[in-house]
Amino acid sequence: MFGRYITKSPDETKELASKFTKDISQRDVIALIGDLGTGKTAFTQGFAKAIGVQESVGSPTFKLISEYQGVSFSLYHIDCYRLKNVQQFINIGGEEYIVSANGVTIIEWADIIEEILPDDTIKIHFKRIFDDLNHREIIVS
Ligand code: ADP
Ligand code: MG
């Protein structure tokens, strides 16, 4: 699971995410870090589909956390895009939702709340590769 990957389309990013689900279990936290449009939501969608989520996963405007029911565990999708800082996240009570006993948590723009993430958080960095519009470098650590 750890390492550097190159994907050449949104579908390849979703496919990579679906492979990841095999190594992930309840209580795991996955932090997605990278600029707008680098594939964080695409990754989350691929992950959700692979664990059996029926609903479509998006980027809701007013919601910080969305919960989706998979076949054997839930997915908690947190998007920190609209947060100014970690204090704001703590003030609205987000901290208690980071680790979930019955599910996996995927956090977009996780760099904003990095200081309160568990030590064993799986970090995934997304970057554009400028020789092709549809290429992304995805580094898992
Ligand atoms: P983020 O959540 O990081 O802002 P999104 O997943 O919402 O990004 O959007 C990624 C955008 O980049 C989509 O428009 C998608 O079609 C496009 N795209 C192009 N190539 C890739 C790729 N290799 N992986 C993921 N998305 C890609
Ligand atoms: Mg997104």
Side-chain angles (χ1 to χ4, degrees):
M1 151 168 83
F2 300 108
R4 176 180 181 269
Y5 304 86
I6 302 287
T7 65
K8 298 181 175 176
S9 66
D11 280 347
E12 279 192 27
T13 296
K14 290 175 190 171
E15 176 66 26
L16 180 68
S18 86
K19 285 182 186 147
F20 263 70
T21 60
K22 297 182 186 72
D23 299 319
I24 299 293
S25 52
Q26 295 171 171
R27 307 193 71 85
D28 281 342
V29 179
I30 306 174
L32 309 185
I33 302 160
D35 290 343
L36 194 67
T38 50
K40 300 180 297 298
T41 299
F43 184 95
T44 309
Q45 289 166 340
F47 190 98
K49 196 176 173 197
I51 65 164
V53 172
Q54 304 277 336
E55 290 165 82
S56 63
V57 173
S59 312
T61 315
F62 299 109
K63 245 180 159 182
L64 177 68
I65 305 177
S66 306
E67 181 183 357
Y68 301 96
Q69 195 66 57
V71 172
S72 38
F73 54 80
S74 294
L75 169 64
Y76 295 88
H77 181 204
I78 302 182
D79 194 337
C80 298
Y81 181 56
R82 285 162 202 88
L83 291 181
K84 284 185 187 68
N85 51 47
V86 66
Q87 195 53 51
Q88 204 180 4
F89 182 82
I90 292 167
N91 288 348
I92 55 179
E95 213 170 359
E96 66 177 293
Y97 295 99
I98 294 177
V99 179
S100 162
N102 68 334
V104 168
T105 309
I106 296 185
I107 309 172
E108 292 193 45
W109 299 94
D111 45 320
I112 295 170
I113 61 163
E114 199 150 20
E115 64 192 84
I116 59 166
L117 293 176
D119 289 339
D120 58 355
T121 297
I122 298 157
K123 292 187 179 166
I124 310 186
H125 283 86
F126 292 76
K127 275 184 194 152
R128 281 197 182 74
I129 300 176
F130 284 98
D131 33 283
D132 193 301
L133 205 64
N134 296 321
H135 289 196
R136 302 287 187 269
E137 180 189 46
I138 299 173
I139 296 173
V140 186
S141 59

